Amino acid sequence: MTMSGPKTVPPFAVISGAQVQRALAGQEKQITELVEATYRLHGAGDSVNPPSYFLRFPDRPSDRIIALPASIGGQLRVDGLKWISSFPGNVAAGIPRASAVLILNDHDTGYPFACLESSIVSATRTAASAAVAADWLTRGRPRPTRVGFFGVGLIARYIHTFLAGTGWSFDEIGVHDLSAEHAAGFSGYLEEAGSGRITVYEDAEQLIRSSDLVVFATIAGEPHVSDLSWFGHNPVVLHVSLRDLAPEILLASTNLVDDVEHCLKASTSPHLAEQLTGSRDFLAGTLDDVMAGRVTVPADRPVVFSPFGLGVLDLAVGKYVYDEVTRAGELHVIDDFFHELRRYAPGPA
Ligand SMILES: NC(=O)c1ccc[n+]([C@@H]2O[C@H](COP(=O)([O-])OP(=O)(O)OC[C@H]3O[C@@H](n4cnc5c(N)ncnc54)[C@H](O)[C@@H]3O)[C@@H](O)[C@H]2O)c1
């Protein structure tokens, strides 16, 4: 027996980036709580989150489009797919690297009922998950007052917004980027946001040595940070870009991931560490393990959180946006989207 009502074809809505941004603006606390709850739900097995599918192009090796299908049970009850492109060359042309749509599917009929602009949803859930990790992974140590951003594009900006929006304030903010122009652009944003003292480090080593919380958000395809001595002060590292750290750094750290099966793939640094050692013993567990008290995080080693990025988070945030837009009475429904509805007669029901 199902708990659902009579089956009907849902209306199909399109939600623009402007609507997504309005629905999420200033909601850092709510979204962080939602992401935390979704991690718990996923940890409890109340979700389906198959491996992401990477579409790559032999003639364009730096570009990719990733499909993230997922299903959430519990009270959220929504299925769907994020389809997200990464074309790093876009940035030089003045447009964002990533672009995306999110399709939400009805739990009862399977019908897609919404298509959302999703680069904002994606950046938001990524930043929220970084804020959740920063909170939980620093509980057993003095709260960091010095943060360092390593690679400062759109994701770094969202992560800073989420840290600030969930109660963090910093005395010192370090910035490092291969591009002086990007470092300057991000510093300009920080100044407007009214943060602590901002220092741009040309030298990656100085950035890391000067930060108790380090955020990696580069687009590096392989490790470029390998000197363990840079981490001698045992910082908490949010390794959001996944491929910056040499496996040796991970092997000397406490490692947390969002999902083990997901993260040990696609030449991420944890994947390289597994290949190097032939085991997963270097992993302490997942962020959900930490939240549930199954894993404690020692203060006398570096801590590295490598979040692969789970489709369930996009779904949870996308559904939140859908509900907010619906509540505001601003849902743009596409009339007649589902049209061929009578089994043996052409046209609408
Ligand atoms: N784990 C997740 O869930 C998740 C989700 C979204 C994005 N990401 C990742 O976050 C990263 C950043 O995304 P974005 O949209 O901000 O990209 P972006 O292109 O806007 O910015 C990346 C910045 O990193 C800089 N950079 C590149 N290589 C560097 C290096 N070796 N050292 C220092 N700086 C370097 C670039 O100059 C650029 O300013 C990407 O790798 C993306 O895949 C991860």
Side-chain angles (χ1 to χ4, degrees), residues 79-257:
D79 309 328
L81 171 78
K82 179 171 72 168
W83 181 231
I84 181 159
S85 311
S86 172
F87 280 53
N90 287 355
V91 173
I95 62 174
R97 174 189 64 83
S99 57
V101 291
L102 175 70
I103 302 289
L104 300 179
N105 290 78
D106 177 37
H107 219 292
D108 296 324
T109 59
Y111 271 67
F113 62 91
C115 175
L116 291 77
E117 191 292 326
S118 197
S119 68
I120 297 170
V121 167
S122 185
T124 297
R125 65 79 150 143
T126 304
S129 85
V132 171
D135 175 17
W136 282 93
L137 302 182
T138 56
R139 290 193 181 190
R141 56 177 71 208
R143 194 159 158 104
T145 58
R146 305 179 305 163
V147 64
F149 289 93
F150 198 129
V152 290
L154 184 89
I155 294 294
R157 166 159 71 82
Y158 266 77
I159 291 175
H160 175 269
T161 301
F162 262 79
L163 290 172
T166 53
W168 289 82
S169 63
F170 300 101
D171 299 335
E172 311 261 351
I173 305 191
V175 174
H176 170 75
D177 198 290
L178 286 184
S179 153
E181 188 191 331
H182 298 175
F186 186 68
S187 302
Y189 151 76
L190 289 175
E191 273 161 29
E192 266 184 38
S195 308
R197 195 154 66 94
I198 303 158
T199 310
V200 175
Y201 294 95
E202 276 178 34
D203 185 14
E205 174 178 358
Q206 286 313 316
L207 176 91
I208 291 177
R209 287 189 186 274
S210 313
S211 309
D212 307 311
L213 179 64
V214 182
V215 178
F216 278 95
T218 73
I219 47 161
E222 46 196 55
H224 53 97
V225 172
S226 57
D227 190 333
L228 196 52
S229 72
W230 298 5
F231 298 82
H233 57 302
N234 301 322
V236 172
V237 179
L238 306 178
H239 187 212
V240 176
S241 38
L242 294 166
R243 297 176 182 86
D244 302 275
L245 298 174
E248 291 75 15
I249 308 266
L250 268 55
L251 297 180
S253 306
T254 302
N255 290 282
L256 285 316
V257 295

